[in-house]
Amino acid sequence: MSKRKELERLVGELETGGISRRDFVWRAMGLGLSLSSVGALLSACGGGEKARTAEGAAAEGELGPIEKELRIYNWSDYIADDTVPNFEKEFGVKVTYDTYESNEEMVAKLQAGATGYDIIVPSGYVLPVLVATDLISPLNKKYLTNWGNVSPIFQNLPSDPGNTHTVPWQWGTSGIAYRTDRVKSPIDSWAVFHDPRFRGKMTMMDDGREVIGAFLRYRGHSLNSTDPEHLAGAKADAIKAKPQLKAYLSAPVKGQLISGDVWISQLWNGDTTQAKAEQPNLAYVIPKEGCTIWGDLMCMPKSARNRRAAHEWMNYILRPDVGAALSNATGYGSPNAAAANLLDAPVPYPTEEELKRLEYQVDLGRDTATWDQIWTEIKSA
Ligand code: SPD
């Protein structure tokens, strides 16, 4: 059957309810359609419209009394010590808090089936996929009475137009952390990961989007490029860097930077700030070629059972004192404008000049599989 005919058949199945929106998205993408084209088809189909109307109604209804438990899945080292215990005490809710090290790890778990999580915290670029594959629910704004505290910069983001599915958590950048007492001249480029003087003393993140993205920027390309030539170059650069690396390691590298086992790491700004509290000889740089800027957002999986508790959690995080405590503990930027006066060391939003070197990751659509394959090949090289 031709691709066109196969697509028409899929659309027919969607319209008659013979296929879920989620299956439609994956099968249409399998036929080579980009996520945005699939989204446009979903909007044009009655099935999509009906589903959205039903979702909209659910998002406006009553959520009932608060449940007794809440299950949260978030990045590691990304919360203050008292954020969970204070919520548990005030709301009488038992919180289970699990962590992950990359968006891909979290999405894989979610796609593998019902995880039982009520809150997840993906980066912006993951949102279009989660919405299109029907994995998250729209939020009921009635319960988010503190929404007004969100800075206008973090409202109506391209990843969530109309703020229907998310509440911003924190934001940051993915640059380079290094020990100033071991590395004598300041680092300013991704080229350092090719430098044999630091062999065995360097790490990059265990995150394909970040590693490939860094080497794309190194050669002057977008960190979202899907151009086969750009990707081949980034893969070659990543493989050339491998003999110099001790490991691919994300947040847990902090211990080795503190001890001096590792001198140079691709790392996020806030995790570097956390390590610097124990090891003052640490610097953080945004390489001259540029790097990722990202925002992470709370959202509620479709399978969430504790929906009222999830909304209360998000509203609690939006309080000025709770938002400020988060950023004071993690070193990341706060999207909470009302928390500004309570921050110990505010992370200012980048200037226009800095933004020229920073780039948000976007969903790669059907090219995600190509990137995944390249990352697998880099890791096994
Ligand atoms: N330890 C918390 C790190 C959070 C990183 N989130 C976004 C990464 C974007 N690639």
Side-chain angles (χ1 to χ4, degrees), residues 22 31 38 75 87 105 151 163 173 195 216 218 255-256 280 332 339 341 349 364 366-367:
R22 181 181 176 175
L31 289 173
V38 179
W75 297 80
F87 178 82
E105 181 186 341
S151 156
N163 315 303
T173 55
D195 192 333
L216 282 168
Y218 174 53
Q256 297 186 47
Y332 284 107
N341 294 333
Y349 195 72
L364 299 170
R366 66 187 158 143
D367 291 302

Side-chain angles (χ1 to χ4, degrees), residues 7-21:
L7 189 60
E8 281 171 6
R9 202 180 57 78
L10 277 182
V11 169
E13 276 191 62
L14 178 69
E15 282 176 338
T16 54
I19 182 177
S20 70
R21 296 177 84 204

